[in-house]
Amino acid sequence: MPRPIEVSNLSVGYAGVQALENVSFGVDQGEFLGIIGPNGAGKSTLFACMLGLNTQYTGTVRVFGQNIHRSKGPLKKIGYVPQMMHFERNFPVTVREVIQLGMWHGVQEERVDEVMRELWIHELADRRIGELSGGQQQRVFIAKAMVNDPKMLILDEPVTGVDQASMSLFYGILKDLNSNHGITIMWSSHDLDAIKMMSSHVACLNRTLYFHGAAKEFFADEKLAQIMCQCTDPSECMEHNPGIAEPPPIRNEAS
Amino acid sequence: MVFEVLAYDFMQRALLSGATIAVLCSVVGIFLVLRRFSLFGDALAHSSFGGVALGLLMGLYPLWMAYVISIISAVLITRIREKYDVSGDAAIAVLLSSGIAVGLVIIGLSGGFSVDIFSFLFGSILLVSVDDTILILAMTGAILLVILALFRQILYTTFDEKQAKVSGIRVERITYLLVFMAGLTVVTAIQLVGVLLISALFVIPNVTAMMLGRGFQGTVILSIGISVSTVISGIFLSYVLNIAPAGSIVVLAICVLGATMAAKSAGLLARR
Ligand SMILES: Nc1ncnc2c1ncn2[C@@H]1O[C@H](COP(=O)(O)OP(=O)(O)OP(=O)(O)O)[C@@H](O)[C@H]1O
Ligand SMILES: [Mg+2]
C-alpha cells in the first residue's frame, strides 16, 4: 500500500508571491498530521495542490502513489472539508441533500443515514443547511466527506467559529475516525492546544517547512512551539528570544 | 365565459407554449439565482435585442440571430468573469446596455423596420405559430433532458465549486453548459414576456419558492407550480382585460411573491 501523501520539492508562486518553497514531506497510513503556521503561511495552498485544485506548481505531489497531475483517480480516497463554506445562506438544500451531493455512484443510500447517525446530525436531516449553527454545519460537511468511506480526511481549519461544546464533540469524532477506523487525517489549525491534543505528527509551515516530525518532539519545547506558530519569520523570532539558541533543524522524512 | 376562448387555436398554442416556457425558466433560473446571476437573463435578453435588429437588417429570421447573439453573449460574460476577475454584476451591466445600444444603432441606420419591435420588447405569446410552439417544446425538452442527466453535477457546482472540483466534476464545463442553456432559454422566453421582463420569469417564482420550500427538489417543483399557474392565469387575464400578457403575468407573479412575504412576516409560515 503506497503512502497516502508524498510531496517533494513543492513550490508554488502566485503572481509575485512565493506561497510555498521546496516543501517535501510524507504522510503515513493512520497518521494524524497537524499543520500549523501563521496566516498566509501556505497551508490552504498546500491542500489545494494535494487536491488537484491548484495545478500551477513545480515539484511532485503523489496521492496514494499516483501523481495527481496525471490522474485524479486517487482523490476518490480522500474526503475534503474546505476552510470556508461559501454557499448561499438561503440555498434551498437539506442536510440530507448536501450529503448526497458528495456521494459517488454505487454508494448505498443507507450510508447517508449511517453517516448522519455517526456525526449526530440525523435529527437535522430535513433541515435546511443554512439554518444550522456553524458547528452543526461543520459536522454536515464532515459527514459529506465521510459518505464514500474515504481512506483519508483533509480538513482546513475546521474549528473556526465553532463553540467549545461542539468543538469537543468534533474532536471526539475525529479521534474516533482515526484510532478506531484507521482513517488518515491531515488538518490545519491555529489552535496549538488542539494540535497537541489531537495530532500524532506536526508540520510547521511558513512558506517552507520548518519542522516535520512527531508531535511529542515538537511540543517537548513549549516555547519553541509557540514561536513557530505565531511568528511570520521564525529565524527573526529566534533573535528576540535568546532562550532559544538556534532555529530547529528542518526535519524531512520524505527526502 | 372565459373558458370559451379555449376553443381558439391561438389560445391553445399560447397556453401550451407559455406553460412550457414557464417550466423552462423556473428550472434554468434557479441555478442562475443561486449563483448570484439573477440579472444574467436580462443581460442576454438585451443583447439578443441587438441580435433581432441585426437579423432584420440582414434579412434573416430575427429569432435565429437572437439565439446566436444570446449564446455568444452568455459565453462572453462567463469568460470575462473568469479571465479578468470582473465581478458578475459589472460584466452584466456592460452587456445589458451595449445590446440595446447596438440594436438601436442598427435600427436607426437602416431607417427603421416595418416589423413590430414592440413584440420583441414585450412578448407576443398570443401570436405564436404552430412552428413556434414546436420549437418551444423541442427546445424545452432538450434543455430539461440535459439538466436532468447532469442534475447532480450542476447542483454540486452551484453549491460549492471547490468541493465539486475535488469530487472530479469538471466545473468549468458545467458552468459553460449552464450559461449556454441560459442563452437558449432567454430567446425562447422572449416570445412570452419580451426582452424587458425576462428576469421576472427567471427570478420571481424561484425567490418565492425558496421562501416556501426546504429541500432542492421541493423548491424546484414549487417554483414550477407557481410559474406555470401565474403564466396561465396571466394569459387569461390579459385576454379578459385586453392588456399585454407580459404585464399581467409579471404582476401576478409579483402578487404571489408579495403574499408569500406578507404571510411570512405575519408568522403564518413558521420556519421549519
Ligand atoms: N489565489 C491567490 N492569488 C494570489 N495569491 C494567493 C492566492 N491564494 C493564496 N495566495 C497567497 O499565497 C500565500 C499563502 O496563502 P494560503 O491561503 O495558502 O495561506 P494559509 O496558510 O492557508 O493562511 P490562513 O491561515 O489565513 O488560512 C499568501 O501570501 C496569499 O496571499
Ligand atoms: Mg488557509
Side-chain angles (χ1 to χ4, degrees):
Chain A
M1 180 90 176
R3 294 175 97 184
I5 300 289
E6 189 92 64
V7 172
S8 52
N9 301 317
L10 178 68
S11 296
V12 178
Y14 295 107
V17 188
Q18 191 71 25
L20 290 175
E21 207 174 318
N22 246 333
V23 172
S24 302
F25 71 100
V27 181
D28 283 319
Q29 185 65 45
E31 210 173 292
F32 200 134
L33 173 64
I35 310 263
I36 56 173
N39 293 129
K43 303 178 295 294
S44 299
T45 303
L46 176 65
F47 290 143
C49 293
M50 296 176 0
L51 294 161
L53 289 170
N54 185 338
T55 49
Q56 307 295 311
Y57 59 78
T58 59
T60 51
V61 178
R62 286 178 184 282
V63 177
F64 292 98
Q66 276 176 281
N67 189 334
I68 53 148
H69 233 354
R70 298 204 195 99
S71 154
K72 301 243 187 234
L75 291 181
K76 291 204 171 193
K77 294 183 187 151
I78 292 184
Y80 167 54
V81 182
Q83 179 169 9
M84 266 187 290
M85 262 42 95
H86 24 221
F87 59 87
E88 284 278 317
R89 224 196 76 78
N90 58 352
F91 204 110
V93 276
T94 60
V95 167
R96 179 184 295 279
E97 283 173 325
V98 168
I99 297 171
Q100 284 167 338
L101 276 183
M103 241 163 53
W104 296 112
H105 284 297
V107 176
Q108 297 297 313
E109 188 63 38
E110 293 90 74
R111 178 68 188 137
V112 175
D113 291 286
E114 197 178 291
V115 84
M116 282 195 294
R117 253 175 278 118
E118 280 168 20
L119 286 147
W120 299 93
I121 48 173
H122 49 284
E123 277 167 11
L124 307 173
D126 295 317
R127 294 269 300 273
R128 244 197 217 187
I129 181 79
E131 294 171 356
L132 306 186
S133 74
Q136 291 169 329
Q137 285 178 9
Q138 199 57 281
R139 274 180 273 152
V140 173
F141 284 101
I142 296 181
K144 178 169 161 297
M146 287 303 302
V147 75
N148 303 310
D149 286 311
K151 300 232 176 324
M152 179 174 187
L153 270 185
I154 292 180
L155 310 115
D156 196 353
E157 289 182 40
V159 288
T160 321
V162 175
D163 71 30
Q164 203 62 46
S166 302
M167 209 137 81
S168 319
L169 177 63
F170 173 75
Y171 286 143
I173 290 165
L174 283 193
K175 205 77 190 180
D176 173 64
L177 289 173
N178 179 250
S179 16
N180 302 333
H181 299 261
I183 291 169
T184 311
I185 296 179
M186 187 167 167
W187 72 311
S188 67
S189 175
H190 290 289
D191 183 348
L192 260 193
D193 293 330
I195 293 266
K196 186 177 180 181
M197 178 176 79
M198 304 291 296
S199 314
S200 65
H201 290 71
V202 173
C204 185
L205 188 72
N206 194 350
R207 200 159 51 88
T208 62
L209 204 56
Y210 282 92
F211 177 92
H212 175 226
K216 276 200 200 77
E217 220 175 301
F218 185 70
F219 288 104
D221 188 341
E222 288 273 352
K223 200 164 180 189
L224 171 70
Q226 286 286 335
I227 289 168
M228 290 299 255
C229 194
Q230 282 158 10
C231 287
T232 38
D233 183 356
S235 59
E236 203 174 276
C237 290
M238 302 301 159
E239 288 165 23
H240 299 292
N241 287 279
I244 300 162
E246 55 180 294
I250 294 174
R251 309 208 8 138
N252 228 320
E253 295 179 354
S255 55
Chain B
M1 235 341 254
V2 172
F3 293 102
E4 278 163 21
V5 301
L6 277 176
Y8 296 127
D9 286 352
F10 79 87
M11 199 57 169
Q12 291 169 0
R13 286 197 298 272
L15 290 173
L16 178 61
S17 8
T20 311
I21 290 172
V23 175
L24 179 63
C25 287
S26 275
V27 176
V28 173
I30 193 161
F31 293 110
L32 297 180
V33 169
L34 289 173
R35 283 173 180 230
R36 296 185 172 279
F37 250 36
S38 291
L39 285 175
F40 196 64
D42 254 346
L44 297 186
H46 281 64
S47 68
S48 58
F49 176 75
V52 166
L54 195 65
L56 290 171
L57 180 70
M58 291 163 63
L60 296 167
Y61 183 50
L63 266 189
W64 291 124
M65 209 57 209
Y67 274 118
V68 172
I69 299 291
S70 172
I71 289 167
I72 292 176
S73 316
V75 172
L76 208 67
I77 298 182
T78 313
R79 184 113 190 101
I80 290 174
R81 264 170 59 104
E82 279 181 359
K83 190 124 194 222
Y84 301 101
D85 224 11
V86 176
S87 72
D89 62 337
I92 283 170
V94 171
L95 208 71
L96 211 106
S97 35
S98 52
I100 291 279
V102 170
L104 283 178
V105 168
I106 292 174
I107 291 170
L109 288 180
S110 58
F113 296 115
S114 51
V115 182
D116 193 4
I117 289 293
F118 194 79
S119 73
F120 286 108
L121 289 179
F122 297 106
S124 52
I125 197 68
L126 296 175
L127 301 177
V128 290
S129 64
V130 175
D131 284 353
D132 290 335
T133 309
I134 292 172
L135 178 67
I136 289 168
L137 282 171
M139 192 71 86
T140 303
I143 293 175
L144 290 184
L145 272 182
V146 172
I147 291 182
L148 211 59
L150 297 171
F151 183 75
R152 198 186 69 99
Q153 274 110 308
I154 299 175
L155 179 58
Y156 204 170
T157 308
T158 306
F159 184 69
D160 187 335
E161 280 201 10
K162 249 190 190 174
Q163 290 190 67
K165 209 167 176 180
V166 174
S167 295
I169 294 170
R170 298 175 185 249
V171 297
E172 288 88 7
R173 281 193 201 180
I174 294 288
T175 300
Y176 277 105
L177 184 70
L178 187 68
V179 299
F180 176 81
M181 292 190 294
L184 292 176
T185 303
V186 163
V187 180
T188 307
I190 281 179
Q191 298 172 71
L192 178 58
V193 290
V195 165
L196 297 179
L197 291 172
I198 285 281
S199 273
L201 279 192
F202 277 160
V203 177
I204 299 172
N206 281 318
V207 171
T208 312
M210 276 162 62
M211 286 185 190
L212 297 167
R214 259 183 303 178
F216 195 77
Q217 283 176 20
T219 304
V220 170
I221 291 168
L222 261 171
S223 164
I224 289 175
I226 294 168
S227 186
V228 169
S229 45
T230 50
V231 164
I232 288 181
S233 29
I235 291 175
F236 272 121
L237 200 63
S238 81
Y239 183 81
V240 173
L241 300 179
N242 193 24
I243 52 179
S248 52
I249 290 169
V250 176
V251 167
L252 277 179
I254 290 171
C255 289
V256 176
L257 175 63
T260 308
M261 283 173 165
K264 200 150 188 177
S265 342
L268 293 180
L269 303 165
R271 251 271 164 259
R272 287 157 300 186

